[in-house]
Amino acid sequence: MAQIHVLDSETIDKIAAGEVVERPASVVKELVENAIDANATAITVEAKEGGIAFIRVTDNGDGMEAAQLRTAFLRHATSKIENAEDLTHILSLGFRGEALSSIAAVSKVEVISKTAGSLTGGRIVLEGAREIEFGEVGAPEGTTVLVRNLFFNTPVRRKFLKTPVTEGGYISDLMEHLALSRPDISFKFVLGNQTRFHTSGNGDLREVIYRLYGRETAASLVPIQWERENIRIQGYLGEPVLVRSNRNFEIYFINGRFLKSAVIAGAVEEGYREYLMQHKFPFCVLHIQMEPGRVDVNVHPTKMDVRFDSAAEFCSILSEAVQGTLRQREMIPEAVLGNENEARKEEKEQRRQLQEEMRRKGVPEPFEKRRMESYRVMEEARYQDRKPESLPDETEEKAAETAVTAPEAAVTEAKQLDLFEEKLLSVDNRARYQLIGQVFDTYWMIQFEDKLLIIDQHAAHEKVKYERLMRQYREKSVVSQNLMPPVIVSLTGQEEVTLREYGDAFTELGFEIAPFGGSEYAVRSVPTDLYGCGEKELFLEVMDQLAALGNKGSLKAVEEKIASMSCKAAVKGNSPLSQREAQALIDELLTLENPYHCPHGRPTIISISKTEMERKFKRIV
C-alpha cells in the first residue's frame, strides 16, 4: 500500500508554478500587472529568444523597500489584500500573491527596486526560489525584474514550449492588450533587440490602436460611451468593414483587466448581429467599469475569466450599448477603384515614413518626467478621427511644423473631425437624391451631392421585409395569407419536438400549422410577404435552423431567426425592377434605423466619391 507523505517545499513551489507560469508570456503578464499596480507611468519590456532565455521588465512605479524584497517572494505574500473580505472589492490586477514565488521557482530571477525616499535600492538574486545574493545597490526609482533561463530546473515543462518565434508572438499579443488596457501608461516593447512598439502614454486610446493596428483600422472606429445601472462602457467599435474571421480582435477589459469571456463575446456579437455576416466577428476595444462586488475575478490563477452576479443583465446592457452606438453611425462603405495591393503598399510606406519621422524627432524614454509638448500636439493632430485619404503628406508636414513652432496655438485649435455630422441615408435627404438607373438588373445608382450611391436591390428588399415583419410581430399585427390547398409536410420525431417547442413563435409570425395525421402537418397560412415563395421549402429550412439551435437559443433569437429566414421572399438579383418600384423600395429603406446591412450582415449600399472617380480618370493625381 502506498504511503502518504507531505511534499517538500521545492516540489510544492514547482507544482504551484505550473498553474501561474504556463509560458514566457505568463511571466510578462504577472510582472507588468505588478508594475501597473505600483502606479507606474512608464513600463519597458524586453524579451530574447521568445522570453525563454531573457525577460526584463522595468518600471518607474512606487518600488519596494529592500527589507520587503525577501517577503515578496514568499508564497501568498501580497500588498494588494489583507483578508478574505477584500476579495469582494478587488481593484488591483494582482492579489493572489503567487506570481513572484511561482516565477522564482522555475527560473533565475534578479530584482532591483528603489522607493522614492530611499538613497539606495535593494537587490535580490534567486535561482529556483533559493536566495543567491541580497544587498543594497544604486538604482533609479521603480523596479527592474530580470528573469533568465525559464524552466531551467523543470525540463519537462521547457520541452513543451513552442519555438522562440511562437513564444515571442504570444508576448507580443499580450503586450498589445496591456497597452490598450492603459493608454495613460507609456509602454515600450523590445523583442530580440527590435522595438516592436512604443506608446506615448498620453491617454489617447485611438493613438494606441493606430500604433498597433495601423492607419486603416484607426480610421474605421466608432467611439462608444454608454452608462446604465452603474455599468460604464467606453472605447471603440470597429465599423463592419473591419470584419474578422476569428474573435482575436474582440478586446475588452473589466475594471482595467483583460479577459477572455464567452459571456462578453456573446453580448458584443449580439450587438453586432445585424451588421455582420455569419461566421464573421467584429473588431472592438472596450473598457467596462463596474462595481467590483458585481464581478468575481478570483476564478482561476491566471485571472483571465470572471463570473458576474447577473450575467443576463450585464449581457443585455452590453449588447444594447453596442447596437445603439452603431445605429447612430453612418455605415456606408466607400469603394476604392484603385488597385488594392497598390493601396496597401502606399499605406505601408506612409507608416514607415511616419515611424522614421518620429524616430528623428525623438521618441520619449520610459522614465521622462515630462514629454515634449510639441510631440503631444503632433500626435493629437495625427490621430484625429478622419479617413485615410484625408491626411495627405502636405497636411502631415504642416501638423508637425505647427506642433514644433507654435505648440500653445496648436493645443487651442486642435479639434477632431466628424465626418458623419449628416447622415446620407435619411428621409430628410430624399429630395436631394437623383435616381440614375439600374445596372446588371441588380444594382441601383443614385447621385447624392459628390457621391455615387449603389444599392443592392436584393439586400435592400431583404432588409425592408425583415424589418417590416419584425415590426408587425412586435405590434402583434402580422397579416397572414391562407394557402389553398394547404402545404403538407412530413416531420421527423426531432422536428416535431422542435415544432411543439417553438409553435407559439410560428403562430405569432403568421404561420398556421395543424396536425394532418401521423407525422404529417398542414401549413394552412403563412405571412403575406411569403405567399408564393416556396412555402414548403422555406418552412422546412426554418425547421432545420431551429433543430440546429437546439436549446441554446433564447426565444427572441429564435423568433428573429425565423424572420430572417423568411426574408427569402425578397426580390433577387438579375430581376429588373421598374423605377417606380425602386423608388418605393428606397423610400422604405430610408425609414429604417439600420438601412446599411441586410439581416445577414451584407451591405445594402456602398458609395464611390467623386474624388475617387476623378483620380481614376487622372483628373487629379
Side-chain angles (χ1 to χ4, degrees):
M1 180 177 177
Q3 297 296 310
I4 299 174
H5 56 274
V6 179
L7 297 175
D8 60 82
S9 60
E10 182 178 355
T11 304
I12 293 173
D13 287 342
K14 289 181 180 179
I15 293 174
E19 294 183 332
V20 179
V21 184
E22 180 184 3
R23 55 179 10 105
S26 306
V27 175
V28 174
K29 175 181 181 294
E30 299 294 344
L31 296 181
V32 173
E33 287 184 349
N34 282 346
I36 294 174
D37 287 340
N39 302 311
T41 60
I43 301 172
T44 298
V45 175
E46 303 167 75
K48 296 179 181 179
E49 296 185 23
I52 302 170
F54 177 87
I55 295 171
R56 177 163 53 199
V57 177
T58 307
D59 69 69
N60 65 344
D62 297 336
M64 292 180 286
E65 296 178 357
Q68 292 276 297
L69 286 178
R70 284 175 169 148
T71 306
F73 283 92
L74 298 177
R75 290 194 64 197
H76 304 298
T78 179
S79 61
K80 317 298 173 57
I81 62 174
E82 295 184 3
N83 51 52
E85 294 180 0
D86 293 341
L87 292 173
T88 62
H89 52 272
I90 295 172
L91 296 175
S92 59
L93 296 177
F95 59 89
R96 298 174 66 97
E98 295 179 311
L100 289 180
S101 63
S102 296
I103 294 169
V106 292
S107 64
K108 300 177 181 180
V109 177
E110 178 180 356
V111 178
I112 301 172
S113 189
K114 176 179 175 295
T115 57
S118 302
L119 294 176
T120 60
R123 175 177 177 267
I124 188 171
V125 179
L126 302 99
E127 289 187 7
R130 289 192 295 270
E131 183 179 312
I132 305 300
E133 294 182 44
F134 180 81
E136 293 186 354
V137 65
E141 295 177 7
T143 301
T144 298
V145 182
L146 295 94
V147 179
R148 298 182 176 90
N149 205 4
L150 187 62
F151 299 132
F152 79 100
N153 55 355
T154 52
V156 175
R157 295 290 307 281
R158 184 158 185 156
K159 182 178 68 174
F160 283 96
L161 292 178
K162 307 295 184 182
T163 66
V165 173
T166 302
E167 295 296 342
Y170 288 132
I171 299 177
S172 296
D173 187 60
L174 168 70
M175 287 303 301
E176 290 174 0
H177 294 151
L178 290 169
L180 291 167
S181 73
R182 292 294 299 270
D184 59 323
I185 296 177
S186 173
F187 285 92
K188 183 177 182 180
F189 175 47
V190 180
L191 182 62
N193 298 321
Q194 179 184 6
T195 300
R196 302 300 292 268
F197 65 80
H198 191 172
T199 64
S200 67
N202 65 3
D204 186 353
L205 178 59
R206 181 188 289 270
E207 177 208 330
V208 180
I209 295 174
Y210 178 97
R211 291 180 182 273
L212 299 180
Y213 302 116
R215 186 188 188 101
E216 183 178 354
T217 297
S220 301
L221 299 176
V222 181
I224 179 172
Q225 292 279 349
W226 201 274
E227 185 167 359
R228 182 178 157 193
E229 303 294 335
N230 292 325
I231 296 177
R232 186 168 70 254
I233 303 166
Q234 57 187 358
Y236 290 95
L237 303 172
E239 293 180 354
V241 295
L242 295 180
V243 63
R244 305 288 180 170
S245 298
N246 55 53
R247 293 187 173 92
N248 291 346
F249 294 89
E250 294 180 16
I251 302 168
Y252 32 79
F253 309 90
I254 290 188
N255 296 339
R257 186 187 304 278
F258 172 67
L259 303 167
K260 287 289 188 183
S261 168
V263 172
I264 302 177
V268 170
E269 289 160 18
E270 175 66 18
Y272 265 97
R273 182 166 48 81
E274 60 187 35
Y275 296 90
L276 300 178
M277 297 179 67
Q278 288 184 340
H279 311 301
K280 297 296 182 182
F281 303 94
F283 174 98
C284 64
V285 180
L286 300 178
H287 284 261
I288 303 167
Q289 297 292 328
M290 58 193 305
E291 296 174 5
R294 300 184 60 181
V295 56
D296 182 10
V297 299
N298 189 27
V299 176
H300 189 273
T302 62
K303 303 184 288 292
M304 288 291 288
D305 198 4
V306 294
R307 293 193 185 102
F308 299 94
D309 63 345
S310 178
E313 179 186 8
F314 172 80
C315 289
S316 176
I317 293 173
L318 181 54
S319 60
E320 178 187 340
V322 172
Q323 186 180 63
T325 300
L326 292 174
R327 283 182 173 175
Q328 298 171 8
R329 185 78 164 192
E330 190 77 77
M331 291 292 177
I332 303 177
E334 186 160 339
V336 178
L337 299 178
N339 183 281
E340 185 176 356
N341 290 332
E342 292 180 0
R344 289 179 177 175
K345 289 180 181 179
E346 181 180 353
E347 179 185 351
K348 186 175 181 180
E349 177 61 21
Q350 289 175 346
R351 293 178 64 185
R352 187 195 65 77
Q353 292 176 358
L354 173 59
Q355 293 171 352
E356 179 63 21
E357 177 184 352
M358 291 174 58
R359 186 189 65 79
R360 291 197 309 269
K361 291 182 178 294
V363 181
E365 290 301 318
F367 302 110
E368 285 181 343
K369 297 293 185 181
R370 297 181 57 191
R371 310 192 187 281
M372 295 184 300
E373 185 68 15
S374 60
Y375 174 80
R376 185 180 69 81
V377 175
M378 184 178 69
E379 296 299 336
E380 289 180 356
R382 196 175 300 285
Y383 305 116
Q384 286 177 350
D385 184 12
R386 58 185 69 183
K387 290 296 182 182
E389 61 268 22
S390 65
L391 276 177
D393 293 341
E394 182 181 356
T395 305
E396 293 184 354
E397 292 173 2
K398 288 182 179 179
E401 181 180 352
T402 302
V404 174
T405 57
E408 294 301 327
V411 172
T412 304
E413 296 173 5
K415 180 182 178 182
Q416 289 195 344
L417 176 63
D418 186 358
L419 297 178
F420 302 101
E421 294 177 354
E422 178 186 34
K423 280 195 171 185
L424 302 184
L425 291 186
S426 68
V427 176
D428 295 338
N429 287 332
R430 178 65 180 87
R432 298 158 65 187
Y433 297 156
Q434 182 181 346
L435 189 61
I436 298 173
Q438 186 182 40
V439 294
F440 310 126
D441 292 334
T442 302
Y443 306 103
W444 285 91
M445 296 183 295
I446 299 173
Q447 180 179 333
F448 176 74
E449 304 296 344
D450 62 346
K451 292 184 179 294
L452 175 66
L453 307 181
I454 304 176
I455 295 179
D456 180 335
Q457 67 181 24
H458 172 68
H461 196 208
E462 190 177 21
K463 179 64 173 181
V464 164
K465 294 179 81 65
Y466 170 78
E467 291 289 349
R468 185 192 300 159
L469 183 56
M470 288 308 300
R471 182 173 63 252
Q472 292 172 350
Y473 169 75
R474 288 190 295 267
E475 297 172 355
K476 309 295 184 183
S477 60
V478 177
V479 179
S480 298
Q481 172 66 51
N482 290 333
L483 299 178
M484 294 297 293
V487 172
I488 308 301
V489 295
S490 296
L491 301 181
T492 66
Q494 181 60 47
E495 288 173 333
E496 287 187 89
V497 172
T498 301
L499 180 59
R500 285 195 296 270
E501 185 174 357
Y502 300 114
D504 291 343
F506 275 103
T507 300
E508 294 184 14
L509 280 165
F511 290 88
E512 182 184 349
I513 306 164
F516 198 69
S519 61
E520 294 187 330
Y521 289 79
V523 181
R524 300 188 182 279
S525 64
V526 297
T528 301
D529 284 342
L530 301 183
Y531 183 71
C533 299
E535 295 86 356
K536 181 176 181 179
E537 291 75 14
L538 175 62
F539 174 76
L540 291 176
E541 189 169 352
V542 171
M543 292 298 300
D544 290 341
Q545 292 287 327
L546 292 177
L549 280 174
N551 59 1
K552 293 183 292 185
S554 66
L555 184 59
K556 180 176 183 295
V558 171
E559 291 160 352
E560 295 191 4
K561 171 64 71 176
I562 296 173
S564 178
M565 295 298 296
S566 300
C567 291
K568 290 185 178 294
V571 64
K572 303 297 188 289
N574 301 316
S575 300
L577 289 179
S578 68
Q579 192 166 29
R580 183 176 180 180
E581 290 173 324
Q583 288 177 338
L585 173 60
I586 294 169
D587 287 342
E588 188 165 359
L589 185 69
L590 297 179
T591 65
L592 306 182
E593 288 185 345
N594 171 24
Y596 312 106
H597 298 83
C598 80
H600 309 294
R602 293 192 300 107
T604 60
I605 182 170
I606 64 173
S607 72
I608 300 175
S609 67
K610 179 182 178 183
T611 300
E612 179 64 25
M613 297 182 73
E614 288 181 338
R615 282 177 179 163
K616 196 64 177 176
F617 284 102
K618 307 301 181 184
R619 286 181 172 270
I620 61 175
V621 293

